[in-house]
Amino acid sequence: MNVLILGSGGREHVLAWKASQSAKIDKLYVAPGNAGTLEVADNVSINVKDFKEIGKFCVDNKIDIVVPGSEDPLVEGIVDFFRDEPQLQSIYVFGPDKQAAQLEGSKEYAKEFMLENDIPTAGYRSFTSESFDEAKQYIAQKPAPYVLKADGLAAGKGVVICDTLDAANQVLEEMLLDEKFGSASSTVVIEDFLQGIEFSIFAMSDGENYIILPEAKDYKRIGEGDTGLNTGGMGAVSPVPFMTEDYLKKVEQEIIAPTFDGLRKRNMQFVGFVFFGLINDNGQPKVIEYNVRMGDPETEVVFPRIASDFGEWLELAKNKRLKDANVDIRPDTCTTVFTVSGGYPEAYEKGKQIQIDTTNSDEQLVFHAGTKMSEGDIVTSGGRVIAVSAFGKNIPSALEKSYQGVKGVQFDAMYYRTDIGKDLINL
Ligand SMILES: Nc1ncnc2c1ncn2[C@@H]1O[C@H](COP(=O)(O)OP(=O)(O)O)[C@@H](O)[C@H]1O
Ligand SMILES: [Mg+2]
């Protein structure tokens, strides 16, 4: 079969790398892809939101399965678009439709869904500009810190945590009255603050069955010790040490199974990946958020651990037989460290030539994110540039290899965090 992956980040390079090893897949394309996906697939220069062009490409190239990497095309309805076009109906898009994508596209929708299905999560209320005064009263009786979330997609910037009531009131006003995030903040969810280690677990669903993928922890802030501005992610580790068999059982019984049951109750056949963003609140896993796709950089540590054939999983999913999938997970620890452009996540320069001396092996993998080819050279084209994933018997030995691999990557003003995974070592 022929497969088209949509996206151009590290996650899509990993998915393409994994798919390229499948005995089931003949032709593999990535749109638009990056300099890394070129090594394992054909890049196609189409924007992930240009559904018409994507559809045309799929027909012309006899694509059987489309795998959207990021949330944008899903929340904008690529699944619905393919379903409504007679010519495209037979092509399987491995992702949720627009309605099911609301689990990620609307924080309020996700919270209501969790409440309805008794899924553990932080207490909350949501407000609009009309209930602005009530919102102020609501937070005034709450202890600090305050968690304010713009309801809609806001490029990862829609969640603000405030230490003081004054700051919270100001953010509330910016979001609700000044529409700081446009229509994304016309509704604001105010949540109770939870304390604990955050981690993520992933499931892959065909609408009727699901399989659980390994968990991971990512490192979001730009600075050492998890300080400074939020980024797309500076590194990740899988597995996480407190994920014992019992804990996983708890997560499955209290969170994963009720989520899929709840989706069925709403008559939604959820196809695709579910990312459960969790927090370990004194031994109780609680949901921080859902995403309707794999995480990036989590994919860079989760997928290398999957020994099974990804093409086979996709084919089984297409036939609603994912329950027959062989789920073979490598027990070793995998870590990834991201190299980023100097200045990121604020302004940074692009077009820097990249030198990569690290070679891929069973133990060490170089994944591209913000890279592209320019006159025969690999150059930077984004904030997060190259991730080096590596295996080890434990976190320190995997990290040692990730950092060794990072030493073989060079570009002007390159930066990376040196403390990825360190907080998990003595847990
Ligand atoms: N209720 C909460 N308590 C404590 N921290 C939270 C809470 N909700 C969100 N956060 C923090 O804010 C981050 C972003 O929130 P999240 O809901 O994941 O939004 P998004 O990823 O869409 O920006 C989380 O990763 C977490 O660190
Ligand atoms: Mg999040």
Side-chain angles (χ1 to χ4, degrees):
M1 60 191 188
N2 301 328
V3 172
L4 169 66
I5 294 171
L6 300 179
S8 60
R11 166 184 46 214
E12 289 77 24
H13 185 190
V14 180
L15 294 176
W17 161 79
K18 185 68 190 157
S20 73
Q21 296 164 359
S22 171
K24 298 278 184 181
I25 298 176
D26 303 311
K27 280 297 284 178
L28 179 65
Y29 301 93
V30 186
N34 59 37
T37 60
L38 262 183
E39 294 166 8
V40 291
D42 284 354
N43 282 358
V44 190
S45 153
I46 303 178
N47 186 302
V48 301
K49 291 194 199 173
D50 191 345
F51 300 163
K52 262 205 172 128
E53 273 300 306
I54 294 169
K56 184 172 179 303
F57 178 85
C58 287
V59 171
D60 291 349
N61 294 277
K62 300 195 166 52
I63 298 296
D64 299 287
I65 301 183
V66 179
V67 184
S70 70
E71 65 279 16
D72 293 351
L74 296 167
V75 173
E76 293 204 5
I78 189 168
V79 171
D80 312 60
F81 181 88
F82 271 61
R83 196 167 49 201
D84 295 343
E85 280 292 314
Q87 258 194 317
L88 303 177
Q89 275 164 0
S90 63
I91 300 167
Y92 184 60
V93 183
F94 186 69
D97 65 13
K98 202 169 176 168
Q99 199 203 353
Q102 286 298 95
L103 270 191
E104 172 162 2
S106 165
K107 300 274 187 205
E108 184 186 38
Y109 182 91
K111 290 301 261 190
E112 271 173 8
F113 174 84
M114 287 185 259
L115 198 67
E116 186 181 300
N117 293 286
D118 284 325
I119 295 168
T121 187
Y124 81 104
R125 271 189 63 186
S126 54
F127 300 91
T128 61
S129 59
E130 270 127 60
S131 49
F132 175 68
D133 290 333
E134 279 166 66
K136 280 177 72 170
Q137 284 163 18
Y138 179 73
I139 47 175
Q141 342 146 359
K142 292 262 166 196
Y146 306 93
V147 182
L148 308 178
K149 300 188 174 185
D151 175 55
L153 292 185
K157 297 193 162 65
V159 173
V160 184
I161 298 181
C162 302
D163 290 327
T164 66
L165 188 57
D166 279 351
N169 277 322
Q170 191 178 339
V171 170
L172 199 58
E173 192 172 320
E174 283 167 7
M175 285 188 176
L176 284 179
L177 304 185
D178 310 339
E179 297 197 346
K180 179 163 182 197
F181 299 102
S183 61
S185 67
S186 58
T187 298
V188 170
V189 173
I190 303 181
E191 288 190 18
D192 297 342
F193 181 83
L194 300 175
Q195 188 102 46
I197 295 185
E198 282 183 64
F199 64 105
S200 318
I201 191 159
F202 305 88
M204 185 168 161
S205 168
D206 63 14
E208 284 173 16
N209 318 279
Y210 64 85
I211 54 179
I212 299 179
L213 308 184
E215 78 285 358
K217 180 181 193 291
D218 78 330
Y219 294 79
K220 280 253 176 311
R221 307 291 196 88
I222 188 72
E224 305 274 321
D226 233 24
T227 53
L229 293 173
N230 256 327
T231 70
M234 299 296 290
V237 175
S238 176
V240 300
F242 53 80
M243 189 59 109
T244 58
E245 221 165 281
D246 282 350
Y247 198 82
L248 175 59
K249 217 176 268 165
K250 201 173 164 64
V251 171
E252 178 167 19
Q253 280 170 0
E254 297 178 15
I255 292 171
I256 302 177
T259 296
F260 286 110
D261 288 344
L263 286 163
R264 265 190 294 275
K265 267 190 254 155
R266 288 196 176 191
N267 279 324
M268 291 197 276
Q269 290 220 323
F270 191 100
V271 172
F273 295 108
V274 183
F275 168 129
F276 299 84
L278 307 177
I279 192 162
N280 181 21
D281 182 16
N282 291 310
Q284 172 65 52
K286 292 187 176 168
V287 179
I288 291 276
E289 66 161 346
Y290 291 112
N291 291 159
V292 296
R293 34 112 188 149
M294 287 299 296
D296 190 350
E298 290 93 335
T299 308
E300 283 87 322
V301 292
V302 169
F303 265 71
R305 292 187 60 212
I306 297 171
S308 313
D309 185 321
F310 181 44
E312 198 169 297
W313 283 4
L314 289 171
E315 189 181 48
L316 285 168
K318 185 173 182 180
N319 296 316
K320 296 205 187 299
R321 282 181 42 220
L322 209 43
K323 65 173 184 306
D324 299 334
N326 141 49
V327 183
D328 187 6
I329 306 295
R330 189 168 163 178
D332 302 354
T333 294
C334 189
T335 57
T336 199
V337 175
F338 245 107
T339 61
V340 306
S341 301
Y344 172 79
E346 296 186 278
Y348 57 85
E349 287 176 25
K350 296 181 187 174
K352 308 279 186 199
Q353 206 168 315
I354 310 168
Q355 180 81 29
I356 304 171
D357 295 326
T358 304
T359 46
N360 282 341
S361 68
D362 285 347
E363 300 300 308
Q364 207 177 43
L365 297 155
V366 177
F367 293 119
H368 290 230
T371 74
K372 64 172 192 184
M373 295 304 295
S374 171
E375 293 167 14
D377 289 326
I378 303 174
V379 301
T380 64
S381 66
R384 295 192 302 153
V385 179
I386 300 265
V388 181
S389 298
F391 282 102
K393 283 200 171 25
N394 49 34
I395 298 176
S397 69
L399 282 173
E400 197 185 314
K401 276 182 261 170
S402 274
Y403 281 112
Q404 244 169 35
V406 161
K407 292 224 162 68
V409 178
Q410 268 182 345
F411 53 88
D412 189 32
M414 175 176 118
Y415 167 79
Y416 58 91
R417 269 176 65 170
T418 64
D419 65 339
I420 300 302
K422 299 246 163 91
D423 58 322
L424 295 176
I425 290 172
N426 295 315
L427 273 190

